[in-house]
C-alpha cells in the first residue's frame, strides 16, 4: 500500500536546494520503512486510514481555469483589506491573490521563497514538523512531495493589522488526485499576526489533501492560526499543524471542520520557553457517514506556562467523531496550568464519538484538569422552549446551534467569528442572523 506516493517521488523529483533534497530523501525512507499506520497504532486506534492507503491517487491535475475572482467571495470572511494567497489544486494562483495591506508582513508562495528566501527556509522549513514518529507518515509524505504552499514571515516587532487569508481550493480537475501543500509561518520575537488557513472545494469529488503547517513563535510573539476544513463530501483530508513556542509567546488555534468523508486534523504544540500560553479550540459538525478525527498534543517543557483546550462536536446520522488530546508536562515544567475539555452532542442514535483526553504529568507543582462529556439535547431546556411556544423541531435546532456557538465565541476576529456563526446557524436552522 502507498506505493503510488513513492512512485510520485521517483517520477517528479521535486526541485529544491541540496539540504531540502536530503530531507526529502529521509522522509521517503521513513515512509517506506514505517508504511501507513493501522488501528493497532494507539494514535490511530479509532481511525482507519486504509481508504487513503488503498487508493491510487495521481498528482492533482492543473486547474481547469473556471475559478475567477468573483467565485472567491463564497470563501471570504473579511473584506478587501485582507491579503490573500489562493491555491487551486495545490498550485499558487497569483492572478487570484491579493497582497495589499500586509503592513510589513512578508508573504509569498513556497516556490518563490525557495528562490528568494533560501536562508529563511533553511532555518525553518521542515524544522518543526517531525516525520520520525511512525504515526506521522503523512507528514513524511508531505515533506517528500510538497511542491508549493505559503510562506508567511512576520519580522521582529511587526504587528499585522489584518489577518492573512490562505485559501486552498480544489476544482473539478482535482478528482482522483492528491496534493501536499505546505505552510510555513515564522513569527519573530515581539511580533503579532493572524492567519486564516482554509481548505475547500468548488466541485472536486474523491481527492486527497495532505497538508502540513509548521510555525515558530519567537520570544514575546503572538500567533493566531484559524484552520477551516470544508473539503468536498467525498474527499479525504489529513492536516497537521506543528508549533514551537519560545519564551513568553502566545499561540491561539481554532479548528473548524465540516467537510470530507474521512479527515484527520493534528495540532501539536511545544511550549519550549517559560511564560508561554497556548489555546487550542475547535468545532466539528458531521452528518451522513463522515468521519473526523482531532488529535492534539501540548508539551509543557518549561515552567510558568498555561494551556487551554475546548473542542466541541455535533454528530448526526451515522457520523463518527474522534478526539484524542494529550497534555504532557516535563519534570522541569513547574507551575504549569492546563485545562482540557471535549464536549460532544449526539443528534442520532447511530452517531458515535470516541474521546480520550489525557494528562501525563511529571512535575509536582501543577494545576491540570481534563474532562469530556457526551450527551443529547438537554430535555429541560427543550421543555422550557416548547413551553414558550417554540415548536419541538425548531427548539432542537436552536439548542444545537447554541451548543456549537459557545465555542465559536472564543474566536477573537470579529469577521471570522460572525461568518462561522452564520454558517453554523444556517446549517441547523436554514436561517442566517443577518
Amino acid at each position: 500500500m502507498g506505493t503510488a506516493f513513492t512512485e510520485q517521488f521517483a517520477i517528479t523529483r521535486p526541485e529544491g536546494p541540496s539540504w531540502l533534497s536530503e530531507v526529502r530523501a529521509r522522509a521517503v525512507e521513513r515512509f517506506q520503512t514505517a508504511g501507513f499506520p493501522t488501528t493497532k497504532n494507539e494514535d490511530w486506534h479509532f481511525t482507519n486510514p486504509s481508504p487513503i492507503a488503498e487508493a491510487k491517487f495521481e498528482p492533482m491535475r492543473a486547474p481547469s481555469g473556471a475559478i475567477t475572482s468573483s467565485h472567491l467571495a463564497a470563501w471570504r470572511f473579511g473584506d478587501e483589506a485582507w491579503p490573500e494567497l489562493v491555491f487551486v489544486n495545490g498550485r499558487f494562483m497569483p492572478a487570484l491573490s491579493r497582497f495589499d495591506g500586509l503592513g510589513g508582513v512578508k508573504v509569498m508562495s513556497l516556490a518563490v521563497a525557495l528562490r528568494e528566501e533560501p536562508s529563511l527556509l533553511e532555518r525553518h522549513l521542515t524544522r518543526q514538523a517531525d516525520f520520525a514518529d511512525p504515526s506521522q507518515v503523512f507528514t513524511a509524505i508531505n515533506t517528500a512531495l510538497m511542491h508549493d504552499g505559503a510562506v508567511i514571515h512576520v519580522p521582529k516587532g511587526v504587528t499585522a493589522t489584518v489577518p492573512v487569508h490562505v485559501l486552498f481550493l480544489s476544482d473539478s480537475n482535482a478528482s482522483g488526485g492528491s496534493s501536499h501543500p505546505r505552510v510555513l509561518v515564522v513569527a519573530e520575537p515581539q511580533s503579532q499576526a493572524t492567519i486564516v488557513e482554509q481548505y475547500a472545494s468548488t466541485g472536486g469529488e474523491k481527492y486527497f489533501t495532505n497538508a502540513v503547517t509548521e510555525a515558530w513563535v519567537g520570544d514575546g510573539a503572538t500567533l493566531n492560526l484559524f484552520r477551516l476544513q470544508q473539503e468536498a463530501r467525498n474527499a479525504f483530508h489529513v492536516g497537521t499543524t506543528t508549533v514551537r513556542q519560545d519564551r513568553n509567546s502566545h499561540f491561539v488555534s481554532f479548528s473548524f471542520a465540516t467537510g470530507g468523508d474521512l479527515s484527520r486534523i493534528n495540532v501539536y504544540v511545544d511550549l519550549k520557553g517559560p511564560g508561554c500560553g497556548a489555546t487550542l479550540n475547535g468545532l466539528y459538525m458531521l452528518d451522513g457517514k463522515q468521519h473526523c478525527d482531532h488529535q492534539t498534543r501540548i508539551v509543557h517543557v518549561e515552567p510558568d506556562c498555561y494551556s487551554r483546550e475546548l473542542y466541541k462536536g455535533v454528530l448526526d446520522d451515522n457520523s463518527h467523531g474522534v478526539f484524542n488530546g494529550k497534555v504532557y508536562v516535563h519534570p522541569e515544567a513547574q507551575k504549569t496550568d492546563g485545562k482540557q475539555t471535549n464536549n460532544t452532542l449526539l443528534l442520532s442514535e447511530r452517531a458515535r464519538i470516541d474521546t480520550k483526553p489525557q494528562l501525563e504529568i511529571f512535575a509536582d507543582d501543577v494545576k491540570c484538569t481534563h474532562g469530556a462529556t457526551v450527551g443529547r439535547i438537554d430535555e429541560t431546556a427543550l421543555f422550557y422552549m416548547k413551553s414558550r411556544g417554540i415548536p419541538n423541531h425548531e427548539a432542537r435546532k436552536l439548542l444545537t446551534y447554541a451548543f456549537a456557538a459557545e465555542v465559536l465565541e472564543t474566536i477573537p476576529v470579529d469577521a471570522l467569528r460572525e461568518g462561522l456563526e452564520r454558517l453554523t446557524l444556517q446549517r441547523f436552522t436554514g436561517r442566517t442572523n443577518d
Side-chain angles (χ1 to χ4, degrees), residues 45-60:
H45 183 66
F46 299 111
T47 298
N48 184 358
S50 61
I52 300 173
E54 295 171 359
K56 302 296 183 182
F57 291 112
E58 299 290 336
M60 274 191 189

Side-chain angles (χ1 to χ4, degrees), residues 108 111-119:
M108 66 194 74
V112 170
L114 283 168
R115 296 193 305 267
E116 299 185 1
E117 295 284 351
S119 60

Side-chain angles (χ1 to χ4, degrees), residues 1-2 5-6 27-36 137 140-141:
M1 292 188 298
F5 295 119
T6 54
V28 171
E29 182 180 0
R30 166 54 61 181
F31 172 57
Q32 291 174 328
T33 301
F36 281 102
V137 294
I141 294 171

